[in-house]
């Protein structure tokens, strides 16, 4: 009896996971695959979506755009005629440095879940806290720009460990940097053995087909409409 | 009477500012100028210190290195024979995404305050929370790498508003980016009118003399040994 009570209290205390499960149930009910998309500020998340989100083969995609303030990224993606919903952590959420399950829940009534197969949640640019909060996603993807240096997996291991895919962006700049993409990949492997990585340049388009294919497959393989 | 009591309670509740003032008193007593050095992950803070910290004219400098985990940056700076103290937020501070006054206070016994004129506190790489916590510093400097894009001041305005100087780094990469440094500077000015900026490349050394001069002047003009 005592043991059961303790377990219930612990579950209830972890409010974020409780709400994340409720979000997940809502997404599952509509057959929507959800990707939590994370990176440091300026790693290229929005550009990677601009390059792909409107041209996924047979997949209708939408975006939930998380920012502390402003709607610049949402405006960029709306121009592609993709449904985009803006979520600002500065309005009502104290300027938080990450999205949590409750923030995402507050946006669910605004999401066109009936009309999409894939929802990409673009998190606040931050390599620490976003990795600590499940929001109800199926998959987690992070972007690591080579311009940030090859040591980032070792300095922010939780983020790299939390992901199902690491997209290594800005490889067009490698000739101009003192950075080895091989050492970056070795550091990713050291903190998260076996996690898939892909090298891309959102600017030149190199590797973008593989990223588009990954998003398409994620939407069609994970989703199981009720 | 009532009014006085309320004020005292409010002051006491803001524990971070109370501790930051205590830190500041300790630094002042030793005539040490303190710079809180902030940026997104991988913007080049450590390289900017490597380029300058051991060659400040007449200024003895030390570094307090803040990271979630690891001591890679501290090891790089120790190689320059500068006193470096490591502060990890993962050990005892829950993996926080920023330094606060209490974390810095915990490191003060380890700092060689008698032997230095300038302490640079290299904060955790993050554009949100570090700006919210005073740690007892005299001055706040942030680094914005041009590779992060020109929109960062508009998306993370609190960080840009909190600073006494914005160092714009990685300008050697401008020929290879779709980024205008003039628009970046205009966005800095829009959110923090009048804040000084300087363009540098920690990689090529361009603009580094101005950054070294700024650190030297900060240490000699602010410090007022007791």
């Amino acid at each position: 009896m005592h043991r059961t009570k303790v377990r219930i209290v612990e579950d209830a205390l972890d409010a974020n996971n409780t709400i994340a499960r409720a979000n997940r149930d809502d997404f599952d009910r509509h057959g929507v695959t959800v990707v939590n998309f994370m990176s440091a500020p300026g790693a290229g998340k929005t550009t990677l979506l601009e390059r792909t989100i409107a041209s996924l083969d047979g997949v209708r995609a939408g975006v939930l755009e998380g920012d502390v303030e402003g709607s610049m990224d949402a405006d960029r993606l709306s121009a592609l005629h993709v449904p985009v919903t803006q979520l600002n952590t500065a309005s009502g959420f104290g300027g938080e440095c990450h999205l949590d399950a409750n923030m995402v829940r507050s946006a669910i009534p605004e999401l066109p879940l009936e009309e999409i197969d894939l929802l990409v949640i673009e998190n606040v640019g931050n390599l620490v806290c976003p990795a600590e909060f499940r929001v109800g996603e199926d998959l987690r993807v992070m972007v690591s720009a080579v311009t940030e240096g090859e040591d980032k997996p070792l300095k922010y291991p939780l983020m790299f460990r939390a992901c199902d895919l690491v997209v290594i962006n800005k490889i067009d700049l490698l000739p101009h940097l003192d950075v080895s993409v091989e050492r970056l990949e070795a550091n990713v492997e050291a903190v998260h053995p076996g996690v898939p990585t892909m090298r891309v340049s959102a600017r030149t388009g190199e590797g973008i087909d593989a990223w588009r294919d990954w998003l398409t497959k994620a939407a069609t393989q994970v989703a199981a409409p009720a």
Side-chain angles (χ1 to χ4, degrees), chain A:
Chain A
M1 284 286 284
H2 277 298
R3 201 172 294 162
T4 306
K5 273 185 189 166
V6 169
R7 189 151 51 82
I8 288 167
V9 170
E10 278 174 356
D11 278 2
L13 280 177
D14 190 351
N16 188 75
N17 281 345
T18 303
I19 301 170
R21 275 192 296 270
N23 293 349
R24 180 67 175 275
D25 288 345
D26 285 354
F27 298 139
D28 282 350
R29 205 158 25 241
H30 292 89
V32 175
T33 302
V34 178
V35 172
N36 187 356
F37 199 34
M38 302 179 283
S39 78
K45 293 189 299 302
T46 309
T47 309
L48 283 166
L49 292 180
E50 280 182 314
R51 283 272 189 180
T52 52
I53 200 82
S55 59
L56 301 175
D57 190 26
V59 174
R60 302 164 303 164
V63 178
L64 178 59
E65 188 60 52
D67 286 298
V68 179
E69 295 190 29
S71 64
M72 274 167 298
D73 293 348
D75 297 343
R76 284 168 63 188
L77 294 168
S78 292
L80 302 170
H81 307 292
V82 166
V84 181
T85 306
Q86 179 72 52
L87 183 53
N88 283 126
T89 71
S91 333
F93 297 112
E96 286 285 356
C97 61
H98 58 272
L99 297 181
D100 67 21
N102 198 40
M103 296 179 207
V104 169
R105 186 136 202 93
S106 76
I108 287 182
E110 314 299 323
L111 297 173
L113 295 180
E114 301 283 357
E115 297 155 31
I116 60 175
D117 311 300
L118 172 70
L119 176 69
V120 179
I121 301 179
E122 191 177 336
N123 217 308
V124 178
N126 182 347
L127 284 187
V128 187
C129 301
E132 297 172 17
F133 294 87
R134 289 267 168 198
V135 296
E137 71 273 46
D138 296 281
L139 294 161
R140 307 169 111 189
V141 177
M142 75 159 295
V143 184
S144 187
V146 292
T147 45
E148 296 163 18
E150 56 204 39
D151 60 351
K152 292 301 157 295
L154 307 178
K155 295 180 71 177
Y156 303 91
L158 183 63
M159 173 62 77
F160 285 82
R161 275 185 204 126
C163 285
D164 300 291
L165 173 70
V166 177
V167 179
I168 297 176
N169 192 21
K170 307 197 186 183
I171 58 167
D172 57 297
L173 295 173
L174 281 169
H176 314 292
L177 302 174
D178 302 317
V179 168
S180 155
V181 72
E182 289 81 11
R183 273 198 296 268
L184 172 57
E185 288 167 342
N187 287 337
V188 172
E189 176 71 17
V191 301
H192 189 168
V195 68
T197 63
M198 55 174 69
R199 302 181 188 181
V200 307
S201 166
R203 184 166 183 254
T204 68
E206 189 177 347
I208 288 295
D209 286 347
W211 165 231
R212 186 185 291 108
D213 288 349
W214 190 94
L215 278 174
T216 306
K217 279 186 195 147
T220 50
Q221 290 178 356
V222 175

